[in-house]
């Protein structure tokens, strides 16, 4: 019987973690599979242990708690990999601790993987749940780029993904811990998987919902996020052999163009397009910074509770 281990990495967000786990308790388990849940607490004080143990007796399947003392999201993800190996699982599933899943979520992920031969990575969709006060012109910026089911991807994130265990067992892939508090280690992990011949496909029907706190639903936060993401892209391009000069020329040219267009949109009073161009400019500025080796500690602070 195939074994599926659902892993959640968490850090000082007990309420969000509780909501996440409670949603998992209501999922439809794929036919003829065994499901387990593993929580990796990246807080040295073990702040999530009480949350997990409080649900153990009533949880519909086995739930495991482990504390990873080494601070950083890639360290927690790698601990999740090791614990999944110890359980002898065939599939590793990642979701974030600020997400809640729909009842058919896992069934959809697993069924699509089996439909494709059982050896591909499957990435589901994430629906942001924004505060009521969020302005309408800001809402589109929180929706991830939509891909129909079956789309072949060059990489994906760990916010909703099912991965066959051979990626970490046979191929030996791990999350890069060289910048433990920076983002992008999941993107890099799956990029390396694709280079090794692994296929990643989208399953748009496998849905999770992300709780977006008020402090994130702002242009200021999005600007920082785009900049941080850009630094990861710039750093990755250097790692992949692209010259620093080439990155600077390309990103610098795009930065100037986007700032110019943002100014035009400001003058004509189109706030949505103004913000869209501004956010693209922030990303290109991040790419420039990443080309010079800058990495931003995205996971140094905690959003949500």
């Amino acid at each position: 019987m195939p074994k599926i281990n659902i892993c959640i990495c968490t850090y000082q967000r007990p309420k969000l973690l509780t909501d996440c786990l409670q949603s998992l308790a209501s999922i439809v388990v794929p036919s003829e599979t065994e499901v387990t849940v593993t929580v990796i607490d990246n807080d040295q004080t073990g702040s999530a242990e009480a949350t997990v143990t409080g649900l153990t007796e009533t949880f519909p399947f086995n739930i495991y708690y482990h504390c990873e003392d080494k601070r950083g999201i890639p360290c927690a993800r790698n601990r999740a990999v090791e614990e999944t190996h110890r359980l002898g699982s065939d599939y590793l599933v990642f979701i974030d601790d600020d997400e809640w899943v729909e009842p058919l979520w896992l069934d959809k992920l697993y069924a699509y993987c089996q439909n494709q031969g059982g050896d591909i990575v499957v990435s589901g969709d994430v629906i942001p749940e924004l505060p009521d006060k969020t302005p309408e012109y800001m809402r589109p910026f929180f929706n991830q780029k939509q891909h129909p089911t079956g789309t072949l991807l060059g990489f994906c994130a760990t916010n909703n993904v099912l991965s066959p265990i051979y990626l970490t067992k046979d191929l030996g892939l791990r999350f890069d811990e060289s910048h433990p508090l920076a983002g992008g280690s999941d993107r890099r992990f799956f990029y390396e998987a694709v280079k090794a011949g692994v296929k990643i496909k989208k399953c748009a029907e496998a849905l999770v919902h992300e709780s977006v706190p008020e402090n994130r639903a702002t242009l200021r936060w999005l600007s920082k996020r785009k900049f941080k993401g850009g630094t990861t892209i710039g750093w990755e391009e250097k790692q992949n052999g692209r010259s620093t000069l080439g990155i600077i020329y390309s990103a610098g040219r795009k930065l100037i163009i986007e700032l110019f267009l943002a100014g035009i949109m400001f003058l004509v009073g189109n706030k949505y397009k103004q913000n869209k161009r501004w956010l693209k400019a922030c990303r290109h500025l991040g790419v420039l910074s990443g080309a010079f080796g800058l990495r931003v500690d995205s996971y140094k602070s905690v959003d949500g509770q």
Side-chain angles (χ1 to χ4, degrees), residues 118-192:
D119 61 350
I120 69 165
V121 172
V122 183
S123 173
D125 268 352
V126 179
I127 301 173
E129 299 295 341
L130 297 167
D132 294 337
K133 297 179 182 178
T134 307
E136 285 301 320
Y137 66 84
M138 288 294 298
R139 291 180 178 271
F141 298 119
F142 289 89
N143 295 318
Q144 66 177 13
K145 189 174 182 180
Q146 299 298 311
H147 296 286
T149 295
T151 301
L152 203 60
L153 305 175
F155 58 86
C156 64
T158 53
N159 56 2
N160 181 7
V161 66
L162 178 145
S163 174
I165 205 64
Y166 77 86
L167 269 72
T168 52
K169 260 193 173 178
D170 300 334
L171 299 181
L173 294 176
R174 292 295 186 275
F175 296 93
D176 181 10
E177 298 182 8
S178 60
H179 298 276
L181 296 180
S185 65
D186 51 351
R187 173 190 169 109
R188 184 73 186 180
F189 176 93
F190 288 110
Y191 176 80
E192 292 296 331

Side-chain angles (χ1 to χ4, degrees), residues 86-235:
R86 287 191 182 93
L87 289 172
S89 301
D90 302 287
Y91 293 92
L92 166 60
V93 175
F94 275 112
I95 58 170
D96 290 344
D97 63 351
D98 59 352
E99 295 174 339
W100 54 272
V101 306
E102 296 196 355
L104 290 174
W105 156 73
L106 183 62
D107 193 50
K108 297 284 187 183
L109 273 182
Y110 182 74
Y112 186 73
C113 181
Q114 298 310 301
N115 178 263
Q116 298 295 307
D119 61 350
I120 69 165
V121 172
V122 183
S123 173
D125 268 352
V126 179
I127 301 173
E129 299 295 341
L130 297 167
D132 294 337
K133 297 179 182 178
T134 307
E136 285 301 320
Y137 66 84
M138 288 294 298
R139 291 180 178 271
F141 298 119
F142 289 89
N143 295 318
Q144 66 177 13
K145 189 174 182 180
Q146 299 298 311
H147 296 286
T149 295
T151 301
L152 203 60
L153 305 175
F155 58 86
C156 64
T158 53
N159 56 2
N160 181 7
V161 66
L162 178 145
S163 174
I165 205 64
Y166 77 86
L167 269 72
T168 52
K169 260 193 173 178
D170 300 334
L171 299 181
L173 294 176
R174 292 295 186 275
F175 296 93
D176 181 10
E177 298 182 8
S178 60
H179 298 276
L181 296 180
S185 65
D186 51 351
R187 173 190 169 109
R188 184 73 186 180
F189 176 93
F190 288 110
Y191 176 80
E192 292 296 331
V194 170
K195 281 177 61 178
V198 177
K199 289 184 178 180
I200 304 175
K201 289 191 176 182
K202 173 63 69 175
C203 178
E205 293 77 25
L207 299 175
V208 305
H209 298 254
E210 177 189 12
S211 300
V212 181
E214 285 190 19
N215 67 309
R216 281 191 181 187
T218 64
L219 182 63
R220 179 183 177 85
W221 186 87
L222 280 173
S223 300
K224 290 181 178 180
R225 182 181 187 181
K226 291 294 183 181
F227 177 79
K228 292 173 184 177
T231 62
T232 298
I233 293 171
W235 180 81

